Coordinates of all heavy atoms in Angstrom, one line a residue:
I43 N 60.6 -109.7 248.3 CA 59.3 -109.2 248.2 C 58.3 -110.3 247.8 O 57.2 -110.4 248.4 CB 59.3 -108.0 247.2 CG1 60.0 -106.8 247.7 CG2 57.8 -107.6 246.9 CD1 60.1 -105.6 246.9
Q44 N 58.7 -111.1 246.9 CA 57.8 -112.2 246.5 C 57.5 -113.1 247.7 O 56.4 -113.5 248.0 CB 58.5 -113.1 245.5 CG 58.5 -112.5 244.0 CD 59.2 -113.5 243.1 OE1 59.4 -114.6 243.3 NE2 59.6 -112.9 242.0
K45 N 58.6 -113.5 248.4 CA 58.5 -114.3 249.7 C 57.5 -113.7 250.6 O 56.7 -114.4 251.2 CB 59.8 -114.6 250.3 CG 60.6 -115.6 249.5 CD 61.9 -115.9 250.3 CE 62.7 -116.9 249.4 NZ 64.0 -117.2 250.2
Y46 N 57.6 -112.4 250.9 CA 56.9 -111.7 251.9 C 55.3 -111.7 251.4 O 54.4 -112.2 252.2 CB 57.2 -110.2 252.0 CG 56.3 -109.4 253.0 CD1 56.5 -109.5 254.3 CD2 55.3 -108.7 252.5 CE1 55.7 -108.8 255.2 CE2 54.5 -108.0 253.3 CZ 54.6 -108.0 254.6 OH 53.8 -107.4 255.5
F47 N 55.1 -111.4 250.1 CA 53.6 -111.4 249.7 C 53.1 -112.7 249.4 O 51.8 -112.9 249.5 CB 53.5 -110.5 248.5 CG 53.5 -109.0 248.9 CD1 54.6 -108.3 248.8 CD2 52.3 -108.4 249.2 CE1 54.6 -106.9 249.1 CE2 52.2 -107.1 249.6 CZ 53.4 -106.3 249.5
L48 N 53.9 -113.8 249.3 CA 53.3 -115.0 249.1 C 53.4 -115.9 250.3 O 52.8 -117.0 250.4 CB 54.2 -115.8 248.0 CG 54.1 -115.2 246.6 CD1 55.1 -115.9 245.7 CD2 52.7 -115.3 246.1
D49 N 53.9 -115.3 251.4 CA 54.0 -116.1 252.7 C 52.5 -116.2 253.4 O 51.9 -115.2 253.7 CB 54.9 -115.4 253.7 CG 55.2 -116.2 254.9 OD1 54.5 -117.1 255.3 OD2 56.2 -115.9 255.5
P50 N 52.0 -117.4 253.4 CA 50.6 -117.6 254.0 C 50.6 -117.2 255.5 O 49.5 -117.0 256.0 CB 50.3 -119.0 253.7 CG 51.6 -119.7 253.6 CD 52.6 -118.7 253.0
K51 N 51.8 -117.3 256.2 CA 51.8 -117.0 257.6 C 51.6 -115.4 257.9 O 51.2 -115.1 259.0 CB 53.1 -117.3 258.2 CG 53.3 -118.9 258.2 CD 54.7 -119.2 258.7 CE 55.2 -120.4 258.1 NZ 56.7 -120.5 258.2
I52 N 51.9 -114.6 256.9 CA 51.7 -113.1 257.0 C 50.2 -112.8 256.6 O 49.7 -113.1 255.6 CB 52.7 -112.3 256.2 CG1 54.1 -112.8 256.6 CG2 52.4 -110.9 256.3 CD1 55.1 -112.1 255.7
N53 N 49.6 -112.1 257.6 CA 48.1 -111.7 257.3 C 48.1 -110.8 256.2 O 48.8 -109.9 256.0 CB 47.7 -111.1 258.7 CG 46.2 -110.8 258.7 OD1 45.6 -110.5 257.8 ND2 45.7 -110.9 259.9
N54 N 47.0 -111.0 255.4 CA 46.7 -110.1 254.3 C 46.6 -108.6 254.7 O 47.0 -107.7 254.0 CB 45.5 -110.6 253.5 CG 45.8 -111.7 252.5 OD1 47.0 -112.0 252.3 ND2 44.7 -112.3 252.0
D55 N 45.9 -108.5 256.0 CA 45.8 -107.1 256.3 C 47.2 -106.4 256.5 O 47.3 -105.2 256.3 CB 45.1 -107.0 257.7 CG 43.6 -107.5 257.5 OD1 43.1 -107.2 256.4 OD2 43.0 -107.9 258.5
D56 N 48.2 -107.2 257.0 CA 49.6 -106.6 257.1 C 50.2 -106.2 255.7 O 50.8 -105.2 255.6 CB 50.5 -107.6 257.9 CG 50.1 -107.7 259.3 OD1 49.4 -106.8 259.9 OD2 50.5 -108.8 259.8
K57 N 49.9 -107.1 254.8 CA 50.4 -106.8 253.4 C 49.7 -105.6 252.8 O 50.3 -104.7 252.2 CB 50.1 -108.1 252.5 CG 50.9 -109.3 253.0 CD 50.5 -110.5 252.2 CE 51.0 -111.9 252.6 NZ 50.6 -113.0 252.0
I58 N 48.4 -105.5 253.1 CA 47.6 -104.4 252.5 C 48.1 -103.2 253.2 O 48.2 -102.0 252.6 CB 46.1 -104.6 252.7 CG1 45.7 -105.8 251.7 CG2 45.4 -103.4 252.4 CD1 44.3 -106.3 251.9
S59 N 48.3 -103.2 254.5 CA 48.8 -102.1 255.2 C 50.1 -101.5 254.7 O 50.3 -100.3 254.6 CB 48.9 -102.4 256.7 OG 49.5 -101.3 257.5
L60 N 50.9 -102.5 254.3 CA 52.3 -102.1 253.8 C 52.1 -101.3 252.5 O 52.7 -100.2 252.4 CB 53.1 -103.3 253.5 CG 54.5 -103.1 252.9 CD1 55.4 -102.3 253.9 CD2 55.1 -104.4 252.5
I61 N 51.2 -101.7 251.6 CA 51.0 -101.1 250.3 C 50.2 -99.8 250.5 O 50.4 -98.8 249.8 CB 50.4 -101.9 249.3 CG1 49.0 -102.4 249.6 CG2 51.4 -103.0 248.9 CD1 48.2 -102.8 248.5
S62 N 49.3 -99.7 251.6 CA 48.5 -98.5 251.8 C 49.3 -97.4 252.3 O 48.9 -96.2 252.1 CB 47.4 -98.8 252.7 OG 46.6 -99.8 252.3
N63 N 50.5 -97.7 252.8 CA 51.3 -96.6 253.3 C 52.5 -96.3 252.3 O 53.4 -95.6 252.5 CB 52.0 -97.0 254.6 CG 51.0 -97.1 255.7 OD1 50.1 -96.3 255.8 ND2 51.1 -98.1 256.5

Side-chain angles (χ1 to χ4, degrees):
I43 292 174
Q44 284 179 20
K45 284 183 181 179
Y46 177 81
F47 280 95
L48 294 175
D49 190 340
K51 295 179 212 154
I52 300 174
N53 187 325
N54 279 348
D55 291 335
D56 293 336
K57 296 173 189 176
I58 292 168
S59 175
L60 180 67
I61 62 156
S62 295
N63 292 323

